[in-house]
Amino acid sequence: MYGVLVWPPPDLRAFLEALQAEHGVRGFGPPHLNLRQPFEWPYEEEALKIALEGILRGHAPFRLRLGGWGHFPQGVVYLRAYGGSAFRRLFHALEPLAPPLKEIEGPSYIPHITLALGLGEEEARALAAKLPLPFRRSFLVKEVALVKDQDGGDLVEVARFPLARPT
């Protein structure tokens, strides 16, 4: 299984991981923002890298703003993210790459960084309500990572792709 995502900057990642440790929760792999739902790739990995490079070439770096904490009824606690039209263009450009393994987000995808999975709905609501906001309110997305799931939850980075600079 593959994914296309954005890693948060090191200081934000450390903040999120400290919250996970403090509350005894975790997400799927290290904190990240999905740009593409997990998918299988039936061809050589090199072909996937070439396809991604071609798609990403047409997208410039953009600012990702961070909102507040939220929760989904499935027991997920997340940090809301806003990337505006640049994010939406990139998200939609990646959709045709391959069908998702399981339609999780659908057309109403809310950009977010997951903090916790597998909680009860009330537990997720309570945790989201008491978490402190991150000190960082935004960051510049300059690159995208291709990851592969190893052993059911261990994300291994396969490649990074810089977003194109406007000419």
Side-chain angles (χ1 to χ4, degrees), residues 45-67:
E45 191 170 271
E46 197 57 36
L48 176 55
K49 291 177 187 176
I50 291 167
L52 269 173
E53 192 171 47
I55 292 169
L56 296 171
R57 188 176 301 129
H59 296 271
F62 61 93
R63 182 144 304 273
L64 192 70
R65 292 183 306 108
L66 300 172

Side-chain angles (χ1 to χ4, degrees), residues 11-164:
D11 58 343
L12 180 58
R13 179 177 172 167
F15 170 79
L16 295 168
E17 288 175 339
L19 285 177
Q20 288 176 322
E22 178 183 340
H23 296 283
V25 296
R26 65 179 303 245
F28 190 82
H32 62 275
L33 178 123
N34 281 331
L35 287 172
R36 181 71 183 80
Q37 288 185 67
F39 61 94
E40 290 294 340
W41 183 256
Y43 312 106
E44 295 293 323
E45 191 170 271
E46 197 57 36
L48 176 55
K49 291 177 187 176
I50 291 167
L52 269 173
E53 192 171 47
I55 292 169
L56 296 171
R57 188 176 301 129
H59 296 271
F62 61 93
R63 182 144 304 273
L64 192 70
R65 292 183 306 108
L66 300 172
W69 294 102
H71 73 283
F72 295 125
Q74 303 84 358
V76 176
V77 176
Y78 65 88
L79 180 62
R80 182 73 159 90
Y82 301 88
S85 60
F87 174 86
R88 283 190 301 280
R89 277 193 308 276
L90 180 53
F91 183 80
H92 291 303
L94 291 166
E95 279 182 320
L97 194 58
L101 281 176
K102 180 178 172 186
E103 189 60 55
I104 301 168
E105 288 123 1
S108 60
Y109 176 66
I110 296 173
H112 66 279
I113 300 172
T114 299
L115 183 79
L117 293 172
L119 303 177
E121 186 174 355
E122 288 306 314
E123 187 182 7
R125 178 183 328 225
L127 179 57
K130 70 180 179 182
L131 291 170
L133 289 175
F135 50 88
R136 177 188 280 273
R137 302 309 300 156
S138 71
F139 63 93
L140 188 63
V141 175
K142 298 183 279 189
E143 61 186 7
V144 169
L146 171 64
V147 297
K148 189 174 189 176
D149 177 27
Q150 302 283 95
D151 304 321
D154 192 15
L155 298 180
V156 175
E157 186 173 306
V158 174
R160 280 197 194 191
F161 303 92
L163 295 178

